[in-house]
Amino acid sequence: MAHDTHTHVRSQAEYQYIRRQRAKEMRNQLTSFAMMIFLTLIAFTTVAADFSPYLITPIILLLAAVQVVLQLYHFMHMSNKGHGMVAFFMFSGMFVAFITILALVTIVWW
């Protein structure tokens, strides 16, 4: 029948397990969010301290790369089970793009 529904009643153990898993995931997301705020503050501090542009640019690019990895890994749930192949292709593509840009910049500057 189209109107038959199946309801699953969770046991107390299942409820406690799900609750612990959600608390762990929330703690991980808050930790990575705090790390990203800290990395952003470092970037703003390097610019506000009026360091040399030759020092600021690589630092900001490095911090941006770290933030991209953190956001993909935690907020886009790439750390969850079953996303291994997707993560592999994404990070491989990012690596190839980085090497290509590095090669082109090296050729232009030398």
Side-chain angles (χ1 to χ4, degrees):
M1 288 281 182
H3 297 289
D4 289 343
T5 59
H6 177 65
T7 58
H8 176 71
V9 179
R10 293 185 177 133
S11 68
Q12 188 66 21
E14 287 177 321
Y15 177 74
Q16 290 299 327
Y17 175 75
I18 291 171
R19 190 175 167 122
R20 280 193 307 270
Q21 290 300 105
R22 289 181 181 166
K24 180 181 174 184
E25 183 176 344
M26 180 60 78
R27 190 171 39 250
N28 287 342
Q29 286 194 356
L30 286 175
T31 303
S32 65
F33 178 72
M35 287 171 43
M36 284 185 247
I37 294 295
F38 181 69
L39 293 174
T40 303
L41 288 175
I42 291 172
F44 278 118
T45 304
T46 57
V47 172
D50 202 29
F51 288 134
S52 168
Y54 296 109
L55 179 66
I56 291 175
T57 304
I59 289 174
I60 289 178
L61 289 175
L62 178 69
L63 293 175
V66 170
Q67 283 193 2
V68 165
V69 170
L70 281 174
Q71 286 183 7
L72 285 173
Y73 194 70
H74 287 288
F75 293 131
M76 298 304 288
H77 303 286
M78 297 298 280
S79 62
N80 289 353
K81 194 174 190 177
H83 291 121
M85 191 59 68
V86 175
F88 172 73
F89 281 116
M90 283 182 65
F91 291 130
S92 297
M94 291 167 67
F95 179 71
V96 168
F98 173 74
I99 294 297
T100 303
I101 291 170
L102 183 66
L104 291 174
V105 167
T106 304
I107 289 171
V108 169
W109 278 354
W110 281 331

